[in-house]
Amino acid sequence: MNADPAPQPRILVLASGSGTNLQALIDASRERDFPGQIVAVGCNNPQAFALERAAQANIDTFVVNHKDYGSREEFDGALMAEIRRHNPDLVVLAGFMRILTTDFVRALRGTMLNIHPSLLPKYTGLNTHQRTLDAGDKVHGVSIHFVTEELDGGPVIAQAEVTIDPDDTADSLAEKVQEKEHLLYPIVVRWFCEGRIQLGTDYVLFDGELLNKPMRLPDERVVH
């Protein structure tokens, strides 16, 4: 008699805007061997196109509008209540444009990922594409990291680089970086669902071993 298969890890995605990284995750989750299930998409912006993307994929949605709350703590409390209702194993921030409180982050420690458009620790915060151009950098990129109390400061799991050409603008650089985002985020989410990555005290474990530096694309271990 065969045992029932173990339930797939439950993924909840938070977004604020158009949801292109959400779409990349939805597309990846439709692959036969994808080891997780997107169970809900939440937004702080009721006009976010990410909600339409989720609806088209028959994924449950919810909105917690930050404008309805008088403080960051009240907003985070309402958001946490919705997250708990869906009982996720992983929370994925995909362009979620809110700074989360310390208590919120601590409650989800080790189960929340974020994507950031720079090669962290460079250029935390906003306007990363223009800032890297202003600095005269030759390369730029994207980082995926565990979320900790420090803004964009959690241990980095994986990165992908893009070359900065002389005629690049902030907009053209954003397009280059976004292409890498759509490749890399589903891979890292897959790793989490497979149990391959965990958050230590201030480091990442990959297949049970200390990850001394972020995984990079192109890299045979990443692509395959």
Side-chain angles (χ1 to χ4, degrees):
M1 183 174 179
N2 295 328
D4 291 334
Q8 288 189 323
R10 297 169 59 84
I11 303 164
L12 185 146
V13 182
L14 296 178
S16 296
S18 64
T20 61
N21 273 304
L22 167 64
Q23 189 64 57
L25 291 168
I26 290 172
D27 293 344
S29 72
R30 290 171 171 161
E31 297 174 5
R32 182 175 299 179
D33 66 340
F34 194 79
Q37 176 189 8
I38 301 175
V39 297
V41 172
C43 293
N44 64 302
N45 171 15
Q47 305 303 319
F49 189 67
L51 294 168
E52 178 64 23
R53 293 182 189 273
Q56 290 175 0
N58 295 316
I59 297 170
D60 191 19
T61 64
F62 63 88
V63 175
V64 181
N65 190 341
H66 63 279
K67 295 181 180 180
D68 294 338
Y69 298 88
S71 71
R72 190 173 291 169
E73 288 76 14
E74 289 176 333
F75 168 75
D76 279 9
L79 180 61
M80 183 63 77
E82 282 290 340
I83 290 172
R84 294 301 191 204
R85 184 169 67 86
H86 291 280
N87 193 30
D89 300 290
L90 174 65
V91 175
V92 176
L93 305 183
F96 189 64
M97 304 303 291
R98 301 298 299 170
I99 296 176
L100 300 167
T101 59
T102 296
D103 287 345
F104 184 98
V105 172
R106 286 177 177 169
L108 295 174
R109 179 178 171 80
T111 63
M112 185 159 55
L113 301 177
N114 185 44
I115 190 164
H116 183 73
S118 79
L119 296 174
L120 292 172
K122 279 190 168 185
Y123 311 121
T124 61
L126 302 175
N127 303 318
T128 61
H129 309 306
Q130 189 60 54
R131 288 160 66 194
T132 195
L133 289 172
D134 292 344
D137 292 351
K138 301 300 183 184
V139 294
H140 187 38
V142 57
S143 303
I144 298 172
H145 63 94
F146 278 108
V147 178
T148 61
E149 293 90 337
E150 181 183 357
L151 177 65
D152 299 327
V156 177
I157 302 161
Q159 294 179 323
E161 290 185 353
V162 299
T163 300
I164 300 176
D165 295 319
D167 59 347
D168 267 325
T169 65
D171 288 341
S172 66
L173 203 51
E175 290 180 6
K176 288 182 179 181
V177 170
Q178 195 172 71
E179 288 181 6
K180 296 291 188 180
E181 291 177 4
H182 298 166
L183 292 173
L184 193 58
Y185 220 174
I187 292 171
V188 176
V189 169
R190 175 185 285 270
W191 287 342
F192 184 95
C193 293
E194 292 172 341
R196 301 187 68 186
I197 53 173
Q198 294 89 31
L199 175 62
T201 305
D202 57 357
Y203 55 84
V204 176
L205 291 173
F206 189 94
D207 289 344
E209 297 184 2
L210 178 65
L211 188 65
N212 291 312
K213 59 182 180 179
M215 305 290 274
R216 285 290 181 96
L217 281 178
D219 184 312
E220 187 173 349
R221 291 170 301 174
V222 172
V223 175
H224 300 292

